[in-house]
Amino acid sequence: MVVPESRDKMYYPSGDLQRDAHVPDLDSYLELYRKSLENPEVFWQEVADEFFWKKPATGPMLQYNFDVTKGNIYVKCMEGAKTNICYNVLDRHVRERSLGEKVAYYWEGNSPDQHMTITYSQLLSHVCRCANVLRQMGVKKGDRVSIYLPMIPELVYTMLACARIGAVHSIVFAGFSSESLCERIIDTQSSVLVTADGVYRGEKLINLKQIVDEALEKCREKASSSVTKCLVVKHPALRTKSGAACNKLQTPWDSECDVWWDEAMRGSPEECEPEWLDAEDPLFILYTSGSTGKPKGVLHTVAGYMLYTSLTFKYVFDHHHGDVYWCTADIGWITGHSYITYGPLANGATSVLFEGVPVHPHVGRFWEIIEKYKVTKFYTAPTAIRLLMKYGREPLQKYDLSSLRIVGTVGEPINPEAWQWYHEAVGQGRCPVVDTFWQTETGGHVLTPLPAATPLKPGSATFPFFGVEPAILNEHGEELEGEAEGYLVFRRPWPGIMRTLYENHERFENTYFKKFPGFYVTGDGCRRDRDGYYWITGRIDDMLNVSGHLMSTAEVEAALTEHPAVAEAAVVSRPHEVKGECLYCFVSLKDCGEFNRAVVEELKGLGQSSASCWIHVRRRKDAAATIIISAQIG
Ligand code: PRX
């Protein structure tokens, strides 16, 4: 695969890192990779042997059809097996591995004076209490629970409680609008919603419960109010008097539906028998943007996702006992699901759970936290790196980052300049940068370096993970060999790939499998260089990536044209120095439409709710009766 005398500048792992690594060199990677493709049964069975199975599998490790011309698309892993992922990521460590006293999370709030430590035993008892409360609220196996929470420990408790009782969690990022929340509640028909009264994001206090109430009102207007109970966490920062502005927060309350978390948990038993689930039972739904405008409810199932997130975490971050790992993502995105909750916990890891933002209360916040907890493995997004780069090296020099061993990125292509800065300034030239390419749909890393094995090229996600077989196709679906550029596709499934789009298998097949029968189509462009390295070139559909978050131009266009004064809207991408890309929205008003502040505010509201981010509008041009405005999101 690799030409040793490559003409590109390569970065090689240090002997120190290689000494105790799980995959210590390129030959070991190649050997394991070959085994994973040639003998997937044995390869994945060995991974499965690490876990607890209430009942062994009766079917093979993987069965699938990836070819629409031969019938329905399906993927099944370990059919017939029964297990529970919550048992495997908690009880197994506490009961079988004596890790009860080990720290699962160091929670660090938005403000540096807010922090707490949660051990595996404590996590287990919180999860059990929450699971019992959900059961008491009538939640059963297969029911959906919507979660709209900031990055507080209750978010982890709730998702694992769902997993424990076989309920399907649908987490909605707590920065999303009431419209987006409503749409996702309606799609999943959740009976319970878990939220918080409010949250500070930097300096700003956000009334989450009010957004929730607006969302539920919208559901009622659409005659689709499935939610019967709303469990409300009092945010730790709003519990105390020093949470000052707490008095300013009015929490709207419906005593029929709303229940305070603390009151519900009081007296709830700390033991809860897990629901033993089929390997292919659903674990969660997570919405991701779709190019037709309507978000897609990506569905992952229990066993395959557990094996895959666990193994990728172990190898990509070369996890060892004693590590302190920190992923800065929000659990509202797939990165948080796979690499804050399930992957690290499956390995019995200690993680930092961070609620804040990189530059509050000062621009050295990330570095301060790395020093405070002696973080060894650090995982963030290129957009955060580019933002912090702007402040230079001085903020870093105030802190001791010598604990760091591996640093990683995810979410978008990383430009070589940001890569170098990350490697030199943050990783101090000693830490490999693992540039992990994957998607909500893939469940876990699919193209990624292994830190002690892969010589790195800045900007390349390098090689496939075990069990993953990439190919590059041209527009006609012909496979390109050697040095080439085209559509990135995968020829076969790995255990963690999505199984369907919730209640829309047809859209699943059309979106990912129809264009090139026999392959899973990622929607990304890709180049393979002369050394066999893969370089993601960006989306080749109507999707764009703002700060590592996917959105579709059609989604925003559809929202803007909902406005009665709008004749048409066209949304395009524009490069952005920090965010990678940003949106420009060109909006033509109808003849009768008048450009004024009110229209601008309304358009901002619509744009925000569709793209779930912030939109600034400025007037571009006034041509006769039609006014064109441009908007930038971000
Ligand atoms: O375009 C690719 C980009 O992010 C998309 C997936 O977005 P999402 O499902 O929101 O998941 C993001 C976190 C896994 C991909 O189709 N992307 C993700 N990681 C990389 C990347 N592009 C280049 N390099 C990466 N490392």
Side-chain angles (χ1 to χ4, degrees):
M1 236 166 206
V2 183
V3 181
E5 63 277 14
S6 168
R7 277 167 283 159
D8 295 333
K9 179 162 170 45
M10 299 263 206
Y11 290 77
Y12 292 91
S14 68
D16 192 32
L17 194 72
Q18 289 183 303
R19 207 162 302 126
D20 66 349
H22 296 300
V23 185
D25 49 45
L26 195 61
D27 285 344
S28 312
Y29 160 74
L30 291 172
E31 196 184 314
L32 266 174
Y33 181 65
R34 210 171 300 121
K35 177 173 168 185
S36 75
L37 294 193
E38 286 171 7
N39 211 341
E41 278 301 307
V42 174
F43 182 90
W44 292 112
Q45 186 58 55
E46 283 170 10
V47 180
D49 287 345
E50 299 284 309
F51 292 91
F52 175 80
W53 304 93
K54 189 77 177 170
K55 232 180 98 195
T58 48
M61 289 306 296
L62 274 172
Q63 296 172 77
Y64 68 98
N65 172 38
F66 257 23
D67 189 342
V68 273
T69 64
K70 295 194 176 137
N72 288 345
I73 302 295
Y74 71 88
V75 177
K76 289 180 192 166
C77 176
M78 300 186 71
E79 225 189 359
K82 281 204 182 282
T83 190
N84 183 287
I85 193 169
C86 178
Y87 182 92
N88 272 294
V89 306
L90 295 181
D91 309 48
R92 188 170 56 100
H93 303 316
V94 174
R95 299 193 209 291
E96 299 169 21
R97 302 178 64 206
S98 307
L99 292 180
E101 296 315 304
K102 186 171 178 182
V103 174
Y105 291 109
Y106 292 113
W107 178 72
E108 180 78 17
N110 176 63
S111 155
D113 60 7
Q114 291 266 313
H115 45 84
M116 68 175 104
T117 298
I118 303 146
T119 64
Y120 272 88
S121 299
Q122 289 166 337
L123 185 54
L124 176 58
S125 70
H126 282 295
V127 168
C128 286
R129 284 159 75 180
C130 179
N132 287 321
V133 166
L134 292 176
R135 272 190 178 149
Q136 218 179 7
M137 287 178 164
V139 178
K140 303 177 303 301
K141 178 186 162 187
D143 290 351
R144 279 79 52 213
V145 171
S146 288
I147 306 176
Y148 186 70
L149 278 170
M151 285 285 285
I152 51 178
E154 285 82 355
L155 173 51
V156 179
Y157 305 160
T158 310
M159 67 198 292
L160 292 176
C162 289
R164 192 168 190 87
I165 63 173
V168 180
H169 57 73
S170 163
I171 302 182
V172 181
F173 171 56
F176 279 7
S177 64
S178 58
E179 189 61 52
S180 306
L181 177 59
C182 160
E183 190 174 13
R184 286 155 176 77
I185 292 172
I186 291 179
D187 204 56
T188 54
Q189 288 293 296
S190 297
S191 56
V192 170
L193 172 62
V194 186
T195 189
D197 50 353
V199 61
Y200 277 99
R201 199 162 293 131
E203 296 286 330
K204 200 170 161 207
L205 178 61
I206 296 156
N207 191 331
L208 283 182
K209 180 61 169 50
Q210 197 175 340
I211 300 173
V212 160
D213 282 15
E214 284 164 16
L216 293 178
E217 184 53 38
K218 285 179 181 147
C219 291
R220 277 190 286 272
E221 280 165 18
K222 294 179 186 177
S224 191
S225 55
S226 53
V227 172
T228 53
K229 284 287 168 212
C230 181
L231 192 54
V232 188
V233 180
K234 193 163 253 315
H235 191 287
L238 301 172
R239 276 178 206 159
T240 58
K241 284 232 166 63
S242 62
C246 60
N247 296 331
K248 284 196 237 149
L249 193 79
Q250 294 283 335
T251 305
W253 204 255
D254 168 359
S255 49
E256 285 280 290
C257 171
D258 300 337
V259 184
W260 282 112
W261 173 284
D262 282 349
E263 286 172 20
M265 297 304 148
R266 209 171 291 140
S268 176
E270 290 186 10
E271 302 268 315
C272 173
E273 176 63 16
E275 184 82 36
W276 298 106
L277 300 172
D278 289 333
E280 281 300 327
D281 275 337
L283 173 62
F284 67 83
I285 300 165
L286 181 61
Y287 287 84
T288 186
S289 290
S291 56
T292 58
K294 194 174 159 7
K296 301 174 296 202
V298 169
L299 187 130
H300 284 282
T301 51
V302 173
Y305 180 82
M306 176 169 82
L307 300 186
Y308 200 70
T309 52
S310 172
L311 194 75
T312 45
F313 177 79
K314 175 178 169 183
Y315 284 153
V316 173
F317 299 108
D318 192 37
H319 177 257
H320 292 273
H321 187 71
D323 271 337
V324 178
Y325 160 84
W326 179 21
C327 167
T328 67
D330 191 291
I331 292 178
W333 307 102
I334 190 69
T335 306
H337 282 59
S338 301
Y339 299 114
I340 296 179
T341 305
Y342 292 109
L345 293 179
N347 283 274
T350 296
S351 302
V352 175
L353 182 64
F354 178 53
E355 185 191 31
V357 293
V359 292
H360 173 81
H362 55 80
V363 300
R365 185 77 170 118
F366 271 12
W367 324 128
E368 179 182 63
I369 294 173
I370 290 174
E371 177 184 274
K372 177 174 176 185
Y373 296 107
K374 299 196 170 38
V375 171
T376 54
K377 314 283 164 75
F378 179 63
Y379 193 31
T380 194
T383 190
I385 298 165
R386 289 192 294 263
L387 171 71
L388 293 167
M389 251 172 93
K390 294 211 313 191
Y391 300 100
R393 294 192 183 205
E394 206 200 322
L396 287 143
Q397 282 154 2
K398 295 190 192 141
Y399 300 97
D400 178 6
L401 305 186
S402 61
S403 56
L404 284 177
R405 309 248 300 159
I406 293 165
V407 296
T409 71
V410 56
E412 55 189 308
I414 180 163
N415 48 311
E417 193 196 353
W419 193 102
Q420 302 279 6
W421 189 83
Y422 198 30
H423 186 255
E424 301 310 320
V426 182
Q428 303 180 331
R430 124 190 122 250
C431 305
V433 177
V434 286
D435 174 358
T436 61
F437 167 82
W438 58 296
Q439 307 176 302
T440 306
E441 293 87 337
T442 68
H445 308 138
V446 282
L447 298 179
T448 177
L450 298 186
T454 316
L456 303 171
K457 295 190 189 191
S460 168
T462 73
F463 302 130
F465 188 74
F466 303 127
V468 173
E469 198 181 358
I472 297 182
L473 307 184
N474 67 14
E475 185 58 44
H476 310 293
E478 291 152 355
E479 188 166 349
L480 305 174
E481 302 291 339
E483 235 182 304
E485 186 165 343
Y487 291 85
L488 176 66
V489 298
F490 295 107
R491 197 192 299 281
R492 58 162 101 185
W494 50 92
I497 191 175
M498 70 188 301
R499 299 301 195 256
T500 189
L501 291 175
Y502 183 62
E503 305 237 295
N504 203 344
H505 200 68
E506 194 184 342
R507 187 176 181 195
F508 166 72
E509 296 189 337
N510 289 341
T511 309
Y512 303 102
F513 295 94
K514 203 148 192 192
K515 191 171 173 71
F516 300 124
F519 297 96
Y520 165 82
V521 180
T522 60
D524 282 293
C526 183
R527 179 168 71 82
R528 190 171 41 223
D529 72 13
R530 56 183 175 263
D531 300 326
Y533 280 66
Y534 289 88
W535 301 72
I536 303 298
T537 54
R539 299 295 304 187
I540 39 182
D541 47 16
D542 286 338
M543 309 288 276
L544 59 152
N545 193 319
V546 180
S547 300
H549 298 136
L550 267 196
M551 55 186 70
S552 82
T553 52
E555 209 175 344
V556 186
E557 284 163 3
L560 292 171
T561 47
E562 262 176 34
H563 191 285
V566 170
E568 53 185 353
V571 175
V572 294
S573 156
R574 184 177 185 280
H576 189 281
E577 202 189 327
V578 172
K579 294 165 194 300
E581 286 180 274
C582 66
L583 288 184
Y584 264 72
C585 315
F586 295 88
V587 180
S588 305
L589 299 185
K590 289 177 184 157
D591 286 353
C592 55
E594 192 197 332
F595 182 88
N596 55 37
R597 281 212 69 77
V599 172
V600 168
E601 287 309 312
E602 286 158 14
L603 287 175
K604 278 166 75 172
L606 287 168
Q608 270 164 228
S609 58
S610 68
S612 306
C613 55
W614 297 268
I615 183 165
H616 311 287
V617 181
R618 34 173 223 275
R619 189 171 179 173
R620 254 291 180 72
K621 191 172 143 200
D622 185 344
T626 310
I627 294 162
I628 301 171
I629 57 171
S630 79
Q632 186 184 337
I633 292 189

